[in-house]
Amino acid sequence: MTDAEKLTMLRSMTGETDNDVLSTYLTLAKGVVLSKAFPYGTGTEEVPAPYHTTHVEIAAYLLNKRGAEGETAHSENGVSRSYEDGDIPPTLLRRITPMAGVMV
């Protein structure tokens, strides 16, 4: 999936139209995916293909949560909100399998 396709998907998911904002959240989500997939580093700068949709979903989660980052519960006019975690939900992170290798 190209970066343009990721921007289009993220725009569709969130309704955000500012490309700078969308790119910023994709960059933040990229760091999350890479640090989870390669906890000891590999020097790679690209999100592996199997994680492209997870990358966009994490960006959408962060973007939709903007302004309510620390919220754990909220009720107003019959609408209740709570967040699974103060950060990225474990359900999204569990989709990413950490990889490590042995150096010889």
Side-chain angles (χ1 to χ4, degrees):
M1 182 181 300
T2 66
D3 288 342
E5 290 171 322
K6 289 178 184 179
L7 279 172
T8 300
M9 184 183 286
L10 186 57
R11 185 178 301 111
S12 297
M13 292 170 72
T14 63
E16 177 62 57
T17 58
D18 187 333
N19 280 342
D20 289 337
V21 171
L22 295 170
S23 294
T24 299
Y25 279 93
L26 281 171
T27 299
L28 292 170
K30 177 180 176 179
V32 170
V33 171
L34 290 177
S35 67
K36 178 72 174 176
F38 307 107
Y40 301 106
T42 64
T44 184
E45 296 297 320
E46 296 305 318
V47 173
Y51 303 128
H52 283 182
T53 55
T54 302
H55 174 206
V56 176
E57 287 182 77
I58 290 172
Y61 177 84
L62 291 171
L63 185 55
N64 286 331
K65 200 173 86 165
R66 181 174 52 173
E69 285 83 357
E71 190 170 316
T72 57
H74 176 88
S75 284
E76 184 176 336
N77 294 329
V79 176
S80 296
R81 293 186 180 99
S82 61
Y83 294 102
E84 188 172 347
D85 197 316
D87 196 24
I88 312 300
T91 53
L92 281 174
L93 294 177
R94 279 194 293 264
R95 297 180 189 174
I96 303 169
T97 304
M99 298 183 346
V102 177
M103 296 181 69
V104 289

